[in-house]
Amino acid sequence: MKFRSSVFASFILLFEVIGVALFLRGFFPVPVKSSFSSKSKLSDLPAEPLSGSTPNSTRIPHPLFKRVVIMLVDALREDFVFGPNGHKFMPYTRHVVERSSSHSFVAKARPPTVTMPRIKALTTGTIPGFIDVVINLNSPALLEDNLIWQAKTAGKRIVFYGDDTWVRLFPKHFMEYDGTTSFFVSDYTEVDNNVTRHLDSTLKRDDWDIMILHYLGLDHIGHISGPHSSLIQPKLLEMDDILKKIHSALISKETEESLPYLLVLSGDHGMSETGSHGGSSEPEVNTPLVLISPAFKRKAGMEKPGVVEQVDLTPTLALGLGLPISQNSVGHVIPGVFEETSLRDQLRFLHLNGHQLSCLLKDSMPNYEKEVGFEQFRVAEKAHGNWMKLYMEGNTSEVLANMGKKVLKQYLDALDAMSSALSKQLGKYDMYSMIAGMVFVFQLLLVLLLAMPEALSGAATVDLPVLSTLLSLPFYLLCLLFASIHVLVCTSAESTCYFCSLSWGLVFAAIALSSAVFCILISMATRRLPLGQKIHGKSPLRSSGSEWSLSELDMLLLAGTVGHTLSLGASSFVEEEHQTWYFLLSTLCLVVFQDVCRKYFREQSGSGDDEEEHILPCKDHHPYAPNKADINSEKWLALATPPFTLACCRLLRSFNQTGIQWAHLPDFGHWLNSSEHGVVLSLLAAFCLILIYLLVQRRCSWVSKVALALGLLGVYSYRAAVGNVSFPWQHSGRTMSKGTVEARFVYVFVLGILFTGTKDLLRSQIITADAKLKSRGLWEIYSGLVLLVSLLFRAHNLPVLCGCLLIQTLMAQFIWKKLHYDAAQTTIMHYWFGQAFFYLQGNSNNIATIDISVGFIGLESYIEAPAVFLTALNTYAGPLLWACHLVCYLSSERDRSPVAVGHGCYCLALLRSVPAAAYIVLVTVLRYHLFIWSVFSPKLLYESVHLLLTAGVCLFFNTMEQSHSSGTS
């Protein structure tokens, strides 16, 4: 059965998406959970250790605090409080830290540092995985044992104001609440005022026990303008005044008869140097934790804050309120909080925490008895029993006190070791789903590789033995074999596998598909055993003989792609992947320059004018007699294009520092965004928008040209409205707005251009087979996409977009067309440029570089679908623009369009499949290493999204070229 290359590649990519999805389902682990009851209960708590036969009570220490106020400031970095500017940013908080009854710590948040996983960590004591980044947009109710549920069950009255993520996670848990949308980052004023307006009335009342406040304004400012914005200090001073108001109100209600209060100030995560979060850099994971209570000693001066894990707050608050610790918590109590209680109570608190951690350790590790922490806990528990025996006998000697301190230290060491062991055991991987997904992806990759000679041939078709495979005996034998393996695994697995939970219909379909692919793979492999397959339709740059020879460019493209895939095996190369692409792009420019020199100099003497006429065809592909001036000008422009591209890419690298190691260094983007360089940024933005219009409008209709011009004017107006740039007649003290009207003005013209292009495209496909009309429709759709990206890009990134379009224009006009590079070479070069521009626009393999503020351009409130779409489009603008340009360029080559599109689609599928398959193997091998979660997990998500985008592009390829097909099986 024969398929066009584009159809073949499209189906392979769609099946690969299924395989990767199955792998990801197994890779994102099920969190470590206790197998006992669903929730902890006071009746389940162990008795106090006591040596001898005397029965002992299950006495629980009395609660330490009557009221608890938790003030959570989103994206509060530790240096905002403890750093050199702490006195200026939060003076009252700094005074409390230095002189009042308080404890201060640097609480480390584990990646992913986004809000919903951090709230889960603070309330359950667990360490969420990167899958929580995906469900962060639509948080379901939290059914796991947690502090909020325990407090409600114990009769505590809880009030909450702030981020509505809490309301979605804990429905019907709060006596009173008022949620605010967390994703509408353009608002950093009302979102906090809606919290503060409840404070005065609530603080005067006595009908609550726990109050939780979650302020979002600081996080929104970070997303909009970064941690060094002029808006940061006023917002921190506002937070400082709120803390002062709460503290004063709690002090005024304090009485000697009642238990003391506890005021907690913390951040759910920090903020990177670009203002975002989600990764594992120090500014993102280090948050301040300030505990204020008259139960603590008064400090005499500033002390260096200790370092704790963020999950340590969960058992500390639970025991401080007299509640059971959540069963799945991996944190250990903060000792300083209980240092003013009796020694017996301190030991009891540590024993309760140790018992909970030891039970969790038993459930999560088969060889838990060999863990150092578990053995230390058993020793400490036994020593605790001996101490209790002496204590109950009335012994009050100094020996008892020294023995108690020794037991205390043993408990602390055991808790630290068990907590650390549990934190490393992030979850239980579904290995069956991972292996099944990995095998399926590799089968498809091998089919792609074996189909290469046919897919890149002159016919651009692939002959797959589908029917013969489905009727063959090996196919049915493989189905039986895989089905038996499935039954064996599902009946003997210790933990539930996702693949085993599927219905038998889906399982059988998956088994039949995998068996068919395996048989097709074997059939194609046996067909390829005779070597010396000929590949036709290659570039004139390759030798004209019957053998398939590789030019220097071919070897570079092959070696570079394979080398990049191999480099993904090292975490450093993943963190700094942009350096790999910058190096490959620079090398590519030099090799292309060599090809240009060979064509215009070395071969000129032997080829004569006839060769020049062949190399310099007119747009309509009819021979003509160009004059000498035209030939010389085009020759020198072709010679100048590779060096200019090299220089342009080097210049664009200076606009955005990316990666991990050097992301904190200042770049040209920071310089442009500073207030004193606003005029320079305005002039640069205006120049770039004009150049974008000149580069894009050439292939559009006059209606689209007018719409594009007005749209780009609207882009500048939007940036002026939000304060990034300014018009000459605007004064510096103007008030900024959200630019909603201006952004919607641009959206109207984007939709108009896309409608015009789509109309021309449909007319060329349905009404009349006009290749020129079809090409114009594609370029108009491309121009609409460019206009939308211009609106989404920050002002300092417009030169990056301008450089992208300029390089595309020059390479298409003077390199790919004039040197007659074939579709495979052109596709690989587009892929390389797209990957490089992904990083040139400021992205990295770190979730923190995702700019979610663009998802709300032109929106008055949070609407999930457009916000996700705009954020994804802005993030993947570089690869998407180059992929769309490839579609337009190959489709405009009318004389070889069907073959060119088939070759391009196949090469795109192969380029995306190789790194995705390599990554799956790498992650499987290194799954138990902790750095996987902070480095490889975001990269795996990026690769899966790239795979989906490539599948979409290939499907578009296939649709556009269907009318050119001569027929397919």
Side-chain angles (χ1 to χ4, degrees):
M1 184 177 290
K2 291 187 177 180
F3 296 89
R4 293 196 308 274
S5 296
S6 56
V7 176
F8 168 72
S10 301
F11 277 106
I12 289 292
L13 282 171
L14 289 176
F15 286 137
E16 278 195 359
V17 169
I18 297 174
V20 172
L22 181 60
F23 176 85
L24 290 176
R25 179 57 180 81
F27 172 68
F28 289 120
V30 179
V32 172
K33 294 183 179 180
S34 177
S35 61
F36 291 101
S37 60
S38 58
K39 303 285 194 304
S40 295
K41 300 177 183 177
L42 289 174
S43 58
D44 297 332
L45 296 181
E48 276 186 293
L50 182 62
S51 298
S53 58
T54 306
N56 195 23
S57 67
T58 58
R59 189 185 74 86
I60 301 172
H62 295 294
L64 299 182
F65 310 108
K66 179 182 179 182
R67 284 187 172 184
V68 174
V69 178
I70 300 175
M71 182 177 172
L72 200 64
V73 181
D74 212 290
L76 183 64
R77 294 188 353 177
E78 58 93 10
D79 59 326
F80 288 162
V81 178
F82 304 135
N85 293 323
H87 288 288
K88 180 174 64 174
F89 288 160
M90 305 187 75
Y92 183 78
T93 305
R94 189 63 176 262
H95 170 75
V96 170
V97 167
E98 294 179 357
R99 299 290 177 180
S100 186
S101 302
S102 65
H103 288 293
S104 53
F105 305 94
V106 174
K108 287 191 170 292
R110 294 293 184 96
T113 48
V114 290
T115 297
M116 193 275 287
R118 294 297 92 222
I119 295 176
K120 288 178 67 175
L122 286 168
T123 55
T124 65
T126 59
I127 300 177
F130 270 88
I131 191 62
D132 289 295
V133 176
V134 179
I135 62 177
N136 183 53
L137 295 173
N138 188 20
S139 309
L142 184 61
L143 303 178
E144 190 178 344
D145 192 5
N146 60 82
L147 181 66
I148 304 299
W149 184 89
Q150 292 288 353
K152 183 178 182 295
T153 303
K156 303 290 183 183
R157 298 159 297 178
I158 313 171
V159 295
F160 169 77
Y161 311 112
D163 185 353
D164 61 358
T165 304
W166 289 80
V167 181
R168 296 196 300 271
L169 286 172
F170 309 106
K172 302 179 181 180
H173 284 65
F174 303 120
M175 179 189 75
E176 180 182 315
Y177 65 88
D178 185 12
T180 56
T181 302
S182 59
F183 291 104
F184 189 55
V185 298
S186 298
D187 173 28
Y188 52 84
T189 304
E190 290 299 323
V191 73
D192 286 344
N193 292 341
N194 287 336
V195 178
T196 307
R197 65 190 175 93
H198 297 282
L199 275 183
D200 289 333
S201 59
T202 306
L203 288 172
K204 292 176 183 178
R205 292 163 18 205
D206 294 321
D207 61 345
W208 56 271
D209 301 303
I210 300 174
M211 179 164 62
I212 303 173
L213 309 170
H214 192 152
Y215 285 93
L216 293 163
L218 182 66
D219 177 68
H220 291 186
I221 291 174
H223 284 297
I224 294 171
S225 53
H228 306 294
S229 166
S230 58
L231 301 172
I232 289 289
Q233 183 174 352
K235 178 55 67 175
L236 289 174
L237 288 172
E238 178 188 343
M239 296 295 102
D240 192 60
D241 290 339
I242 292 169
L243 182 85
K244 182 178 180 180
K245 177 188 289 188
I246 298 171
H247 193 201
S248 301
L250 293 174
I251 291 175
S252 65
K253 287 185 170 290
E254 188 75 15
T255 60
E256 293 185 3
E257 293 80 15
S258 64
L259 291 173
Y261 62 84
L262 174 65
L263 174 57
V264 180
L265 171 67
S266 183
D268 57 344
H269 52 75
M271 184 188 302
S272 69
E273 287 300 311
T274 60
S276 191
H277 54 86
S280 57
S281 66
E282 289 295 314
E284 293 171 83
V285 301
N286 287 346
T287 64
L289 176 61
V290 181
L291 307 176
I292 307 169
S293 175
F296 305 148
K297 287 183 179 179
R298 181 175 292 273
K299 292 185 178 180
M302 181 64 183
E303 301 175 1
K304 184 178 179 180
V307 178
V308 298
E309 292 289 335
Q310 196 178 60
V311 291
D312 294 343
L313 185 62
T314 307
T316 303
L317 289 178
L319 294 177
L321 289 168
L323 305 173
I325 301 174
S326 303
Q327 281 191 346
N328 303 317
S329 171
V330 298
H332 61 81
V333 296
I334 302 173
V337 175
F338 307 104
E339 62 186 6
E340 294 301 307
T341 60
S342 66
L343 186 56
R344 180 184 180 183
D345 283 349
Q346 291 184 55
L347 292 176
R348 179 60 171 155
F349 284 133
L350 296 178
H351 175 251
L352 291 173
N353 192 191
H355 176 78
Q356 175 262 324
L357 289 175
S358 65
C359 291
L360 188 60
L361 201 66
K362 291 179 183 178
D363 287 349
S364 60
M365 294 185 181
N367 300 322
Y368 65 92
E369 293 179 345
K370 298 180 180 179
E371 286 292 326
V372 176
F374 185 83
E375 181 62 29
Q376 288 177 331
F377 174 70
R378 289 296 175 219
V379 172
E381 190 176 39
K382 186 175 181 180
H384 186 188
N386 294 331
W387 184 89
M388 277 296 301
K389 183 179 180 181
L390 295 175
Y391 179 84
M392 298 300 290
E393 291 174 354
N395 192 324
T396 58
S397 64
E398 186 178 348
V399 175
L400 185 67
N402 292 334
M403 182 181 177
K405 293 177 182 179
K406 181 179 179 182
V407 175
L408 194 71
K409 186 177 184 307
Q410 289 176 331
Y411 266 136
L412 291 175
D413 292 340
L415 293 180
D416 187 63
M418 287 192 291
S419 178
S420 177
L422 286 167
S423 298
K424 293 177 180 178
Q425 184 76 7
L426 292 177
K428 299 176 181 178
Y429 292 89
D430 183 356
M431 288 303 300
Y432 183 36
S433 299
M434 289 177 66
I435 293 175
M438 180 178 65
V439 170
F440 190 54
V441 169
F442 258 87
Q443 283 180 330
L444 295 170
L445 176 60
L446 290 176
V447 170
L448 266 177
L449 291 172
L450 289 174
M452 183 185 296
E454 290 179 278
L456 296 182
S457 65
T461 59
V462 178
D463 186 10
L464 294 180
V466 178
L467 294 178
S468 59
T469 294
L470 296 177
L471 299 176
S472 64
L473 179 61
F475 168 72
Y476 296 103
L477 292 177
L478 278 175
C479 288
L480 290 174
L481 176 62
F482 290 157
S484 60
I485 292 175
H486 176 76
V487 172
L488 182 64
V489 171
C490 293
T491 54
S492 62
E494 296 180 359
S495 60
T496 304
C497 298
Y498 171 74
F499 208 48
C500 296
S501 65
L502 297 177
S503 64
W504 266 104
L506 289 175
V507 171
F508 181 76
I511 289 175
L513 180 61
S514 181
S515 302
V517 172
F518 189 80
C519 290
I520 291 173
L521 179 63
I522 297 299
S523 177
M524 294 179 68
T526 54
R527 196 169 62 192
R528 296 286 179 268
L529 282 178
L531 301 178
Q533 295 290 331
K534 308 295 188 294
I535 292 184
H536 306 287
K538 304 309 287 183
S539 162
L541 293 179
R542 296 173 183 174
S543 64
S544 59
S546 60
E547 293 295 329
W548 181 21
S549 63
L550 296 177
S551 66
E552 293 91 339
L553 178 63
D554 294 325
M555 289 189 290
L556 170 65
L557 295 176
L558 179 62
T561 303
V562 173
H564 165 257
T565 302
L566 295 176
S567 73
L568 300 179
S571 61
S572 298
F573 279 95
V574 177
E575 293 174 343
E576 309 297 329
E577 188 180 357
H578 60 286
Q579 300 287 4
T580 304
W581 287 115
Y582 295 164
F583 172 78
L584 291 176
L585 210 59
S586 301
T587 310
L588 175 64
C589 290
L590 295 177
V591 173
V592 170
F593 182 69
Q594 174 185 289
D595 279 351
V596 175
C597 292
R598 180 184 295 119
K599 279 297 175 183
Y600 284 101
F601 289 105
R602 197 180 73 179
E603 297 181 4
Q604 183 174 353
S605 58
S607 301
D609 294 336
D610 293 337
E611 177 68 17
E612 287 183 349
E613 287 186 13
H614 174 72
I615 294 176
L616 301 172
C618 68
K619 291 184 179 180
D620 296 328
H621 298 272
H622 295 297
Y624 74 108
N627 58 48
K628 195 69 174 178
D630 290 338
I631 294 175
N632 286 332
S633 63
E634 289 192 350
K635 177 176 69 174
W636 290 113
L637 284 172
L639 287 169
T641 295
F644 174 81
T645 302
L646 187 62
C648 186
C649 291
R650 184 61 189 89
L651 176 63
L652 295 179
R653 287 171 58 180
S654 64
F655 278 83
N656 296 289
Q657 288 285 358
T658 185
I660 302 295
Q661 300 296 329
W662 298 282
H664 63 283
L665 297 178
D667 50 39
F668 196 41
H670 285 92
W671 185 86
L672 287 172
N673 285 317
S674 60
S675 56
E676 57 268 22
H677 301 123
V679 176
V680 179
L681 180 59
S682 300
L683 293 174
L684 182 62
F687 172 77
C688 289
L689 291 174
I690 293 172
L691 188 54
I692 288 171
Y693 174 77
L694 296 175
L695 291 171
V696 174
Q697 57 84 30
R698 296 176 300 123
R699 299 181 178 92
C700 298
S701 63
W702 68 270
V703 176
S704 296
K705 289 181 181 180
V706 173
L708 181 62
L710 294 175
L712 291 173
L713 180 61
V715 170
Y716 191 89
S717 300
Y718 167 76
R719 287 298 163 190
V722 298
N724 299 136
V725 299
S726 60
F727 286 105
W729 55 83
Q730 286 180 321
H731 58 278
S732 58
R734 71 189 188 280
T735 57
M736 293 186 297
S737 70
K738 297 177 182 177
T740 305
V741 175
E742 292 83 354
R744 291 178 177 177
F745 178 80
V746 179
Y747 287 145
V748 170
F749 291 110
V750 170
L751 292 176
I753 295 173
L754 292 177
F755 174 78
T756 304
T758 305
K759 182 191 68 175
D760 291 343
L761 201 57
L762 292 176
R763 285 180 59 195
S764 69
Q765 296 291 104
I766 300 174
I767 300 176
T768 174
D770 188 348
K772 185 176 181 181
L773 186 63
K774 172 193 164 187
S775 178
R776 190 178 72 183
L778 285 173
W779 285 112
E780 284 179 336
I781 292 176
Y782 175 73
S783 65
L785 182 63
V786 169
L787 177 58
L788 182 56
V789 171
S790 302
L791 176 65
L792 300 182
F793 269 22
R794 293 182 182 249
H796 76 274
N797 256 349
L798 287 175
V800 178
L801 176 60
C802 191
C804 172
L805 300 176
L806 188 57
I807 292 173
Q808 286 176 354
T809 302
L810 293 175
M811 293 291 287
Q813 187 69 25
F814 301 108
I815 301 298
W816 298 319
K817 185 178 294 185
K818 301 302 182 186
L819 272 65
H820 292 264
Y821 286 141
D822 63 20
Q825 294 169 320
T826 306
T827 299
I828 297 175
M829 283 190 265
H830 272 81
Y831 172 76
W832 281 23
F833 274 106
Q835 292 298 105
F837 271 87
F838 174 80
Y839 297 102
L840 286 173
Q841 69 184 73
N843 292 317
S844 71
N845 291 325
N846 190 339
I847 297 177
T849 54
I850 298 178
D851 183 6
I852 67 171
S853 64
V854 300
F856 309 96
I857 294 177
L859 301 182
E860 289 284 0
S861 60
Y862 173 62
I863 307 174
E864 185 173 334
V868 172
F869 170 75
L870 294 175
T871 302
L873 177 61
N874 176 74
T875 303
Y876 293 96
L880 193 59
L881 283 176
W882 280 93
C884 291
H885 184 271
L886 178 64
V887 173
C888 297
Y889 174 77
L890 292 180
S891 297
S892 65
E893 297 292 295
R894 297 194 299 272
D895 60 334
R896 55 192 179 99
S897 182
V899 174
V901 170
H903 289 176
C905 184
Y906 174 81
C907 290
L908 268 182
L910 191 60
L911 289 168
R912 281 263 51 96
S913 301
V914 171
Y919 235 87
I920 285 177
V921 175
L922 181 68
V923 170
T924 304
V925 173
L926 300 176
R927 64 189 182 279
Y928 291 118
H929 291 258
L930 189 60
F931 73 89
I932 278 290
W933 290 99
S934 59
V935 177
F936 288 97
S937 293
K939 176 61 177 174
L940 194 60
L941 291 175
Y942 276 129
E943 288 295 325
S944 61
V945 175
H946 270 133
L947 205 62
L948 283 170
L949 288 175
T950 309
V953 171
C954 278
L955 285 174
F956 188 74
F957 266 15
N958 180 46
T959 304
M960 290 303 101
E961 291 307 318
Q962 192 170 7
S963 61
H964 295 278
S965 175
S966 59
T968 178
S969 299

